[in-house]
Amino acid sequence: MKNFLSFILISFALILYGQKHNVATNKTVTKTVSAKANTDLVKINDSIPALIPHKINGKFGFVNQKGKTIIKPEYSNVGFFTEDCNLLNSPNPKVKKFGSSKYASVRLNGQDFRINQAGIRVYQFKKTDLGQCTPEFKAQLFHAYVMNYAYGIIEDAKFENPGDYTQFTIYPQYDYLHILEGDDLKNPMIIASYKNKFGVIDINNKMVIPFEYSDIKRNFSWKLARLFEVTKDGKNYYYVDSNNIRY
């Protein structure tokens, strides 16, 4: 009888050990998997946006820096993925987040929206949501100067005598010049026209964009995205960066 009881106790102990061992060895191991980066938004050029407005058959969408369509062209107008001052200063706290540079403004069927980088319309503009913006004015250091029907550039703080050619930052020699608004007032980009072709020069009269375009728009694309909006046929506009790479 004692031997039988001893056998039962030993067997029970072995069963308990086996259960504990199985519990220990069968624990679920949870691995932390980091979210994969969206390869479609990887930048080749860090100085310009990951998504760039692109027009196809009269409609606007967005392409990435490799030229791949990320947001299908269905809008009558689009902006860059930049901040919206009116929403950032909105009296409605719930919509302020849509004013960040994670979103872009688009127009569809006469209605204005903000979309995210996946192309989803996440907010429709309402007048009651719009706050007041205080425009920031920065006086330009340089201005175009016309002499003998030719355009040059002067620095306001230094220029006094047009008869002294050394006082010109760029001596008048172009058909047309326009200084683009940008963040660097000391080194602005300048749209230039020479022999009926448009290009871009810097303040040192160095060519940035070759004179091969029929027009370059005088808009905020350089200030907002460090891009130039150009055309060769006067109808179809597209963007190029400071290396003249097309998007």
Side-chain angles (χ1 to χ4, degrees):
M1 183 68 178
K2 289 182 180 179
N3 291 336
F4 179 71
L5 289 174
S6 298
F7 174 76
I8 291 176
L9 291 174
I10 291 171
S11 299
F12 183 68
L14 288 173
I15 291 170
L16 287 178
Y17 173 77
Q19 288 178 340
K20 289 181 180 180
H21 181 70
N22 287 336
V23 169
T25 56
N26 291 331
K27 285 183 178 179
T28 301
V29 178
T30 303
K31 294 182 179 181
T32 302
V33 180
S34 58
K36 291 183 179 180
N38 187 344
T39 56
D40 285 334
L41 300 181
V42 172
K43 290 186 175 183
I44 300 172
N45 183 345
D46 284 333
S47 67
I48 66 173
L51 291 174
I52 302 163
H54 188 71
K55 189 177 184 180
I56 300 177
N57 297 326
K59 297 292 184 180
F60 288 93
F62 290 83
V63 297
N64 65 11
Q65 291 190 7
K66 293 182 179 179
K68 178 182 177 181
T69 298
I70 305 301
I71 299 174
K72 67 178 182 179
E74 60 178 327
Y75 299 104
S76 59
N77 199 7
V78 300
F80 292 103
F81 279 84
T82 56
E83 291 183 348
D84 184 293
C85 177
N86 296 111
L87 289 179
L88 288 175
N89 292 283
S90 174
N92 183 355
K94 294 181 180 180
V95 306
K96 285 187 175 183
K97 63 181 180 181
F98 299 121
S100 80
S101 58
K102 294 180 180 179
Y103 304 94
S105 296
V106 299
R107 174 163 288 186
L108 179 66
N109 299 326
Q111 301 295 321
D112 294 317
F113 302 86
R114 293 286 272 180
I115 62 171
N116 62 19
Q117 290 184 328
I120 299 172
R121 293 187 288 275
V122 294
Y123 170 76
Q124 183 173 353
F125 279 89
K126 299 178 182 178
K127 288 184 179 180
T128 54
D129 286 340
L130 304 183
Q132 295 294 321
C133 294
T134 303
E136 183 182 4
F137 175 76
K138 293 182 179 180
Q140 295 281 358
L141 302 180
F142 302 92
H143 285 91
Y145 189 93
V146 182
M147 187 173 71
N148 297 328
Y149 304 103
Y151 280 74
I153 297 293
I154 62 171
E155 185 175 358
D156 292 354
K158 298 179 179 180
F159 186 81
E160 293 180 354
N161 179 17
D164 182 359
Y165 75 94
T166 64
Q167 291 194 9
F168 285 91
T169 302
I170 298 177
Y171 194 77
Q173 59 195 273
Y174 293 98
D175 301 329
Y176 174 80
L177 292 175
H178 175 81
I179 299 175
L180 289 169
E181 187 173 339
D183 295 327
D184 190 350
L185 295 178
K186 293 182 179 180
N187 298 286
M189 292 290 102
I190 305 164
I191 294 175
S193 175
Y194 186 69
K195 294 183 178 180
N196 295 320
K197 290 293 184 180
F198 282 85
V200 177
I201 61 174
D202 65 15
I203 202 63
N204 299 309
N205 203 21
K206 179 182 177 182
M207 186 174 65
V208 178
I209 301 296
F211 289 85
E212 61 185 36
Y213 298 102
S214 63
D215 187 34
I216 300 177
K217 286 191 177 182
R218 293 69 149 166
N219 56 21
F220 292 103
S221 62
W222 173 253
K223 180 178 177 64
L224 296 176
R226 298 185 70 82
L227 293 167
F228 305 104
E229 194 170 2
V230 304
T231 180
K232 288 189 175 183
D233 60 9
K235 297 178 181 179
N236 300 298
Y237 283 84
Y238 53 90
Y239 292 102
V240 298
D241 62 19
S242 57
N243 295 314
N244 202 32
I245 297 175
R246 177 175 177 168
Y247 299 95

